[in-house]
Amino acid sequence: MKTLTLLRHAKSGWDDPVARDFDRPLNARGRRAAATMGRHLRDLGLTFDRVVASPATRVDETIVEVERGLGRALAPVWDRRLYLAAPTTLLDVVHECEAASGSLLLVGHNPGLEELTLLLIPDDASTLREAAEEKYPTATLAEITFDTDDWAAVAAGRGRLTRFIRPRDVDPALGPDGN
């Protein structure tokens, strides 16, 4: 059994005058959401054998805040391929994961993470799939399990979406109507 967890970076600030999209930082709401998601990961007891992340500033800051809420380091491997990656590139990264790792966390961007989630799970009418199809908000986590012992065998439609957690599911104040 392999478990792939996909975490979208938290809400970034568009007001900061940065020269490149890559350098956009989180805003205050994003920092709160990432720390909240970290606490929720801790409460769920989730751990990861390997963490691979986009080196973009907003992803780095998301990880810092998730670690703060989680109470421990995630120790990501920074991989530039994850910056605004297409789902096929993300799947390449998954396929490269060593077999000894049972759980993999990718931290990156949309639309790639949402598209990868929908690619890997069956097109059914499950509540979780419907939520993922509707919107994959910032700081949202999707957990997909695979009945395989080889990451290279992860393929379209072969996964089972076991969790789809948005910040507003953990703290309603982090939803669209929150402050």
Side-chain angles (χ1 to χ4, degrees):
M1 177 77 83
K2 299 292 185 193
T3 302
L4 173 63
T5 303
L6 306 173
L7 177 65
R8 184 177 174 197
H9 67 78
K11 188 170 276 307
S12 58
W14 288 94
D15 297 336
D16 287 312
V18 294
R20 304 180 311 161
D21 172 74
F22 187 86
D23 299 321
R24 261 189 311 115
L26 295 184
N27 64 22
R29 185 176 177 150
R31 286 190 295 279
R32 275 194 339 265
T36 297
M37 291 301 283
R39 286 189 297 277
H40 193 63
L41 291 174
R42 181 193 64 217
D43 293 347
L44 292 172
L46 296 185
T47 59
F48 309 101
D49 298 325
R50 182 166 176 78
V51 178
V52 182
S54 161
T57 299
R58 58 193 179 272
V59 173
D60 179 36
E61 291 181 357
T62 295
I63 290 171
V64 167
E65 294 300 328
V66 167
E67 289 173 334
R68 186 181 329 272
L70 189 58
R72 63 180 159 74
L74 291 173
V77 172
W78 303 103
D79 190 330
R80 181 111 181 154
R81 293 178 297 170
L82 270 64
Y83 176 65
L84 304 179
T88 52
T89 301
L90 295 169
L91 190 54
D92 288 344
V93 173
V94 170
H95 287 159
E96 292 169 8
C97 190
E98 62 275 357
S101 295
S103 59
L104 170 63
L105 170 65
L106 296 184
V107 187
H109 311 266
N110 251 8
L113 292 178
E114 178 179 349
E115 291 171 356
L116 180 62
T117 299
L118 297 175
L119 172 73
L120 293 176
I121 62 176
D123 189 3
D124 59 17
S126 72
T127 303
L128 290 178
R129 181 176 175 99
E130 287 176 0
E133 284 178 331
E134 179 184 330
K135 187 170 184 182
Y136 199 121
T138 53
T140 290
L141 176 142
E143 180 185 81
I144 306 167
T145 58
F146 300 89
D147 188 18
T148 183
D149 60 358
D150 185 1
W151 287 106
V154 168
R158 298 278 178 96
R160 185 168 66 89
L161 186 60
T162 52
R163 299 180 206 269
F164 187 75
I165 305 167
R166 302 163 296 196
R168 70 177 179 218
D169 299 329
V170 179
D171 180 352
L174 294 169
D177 299 327
N179 296 322

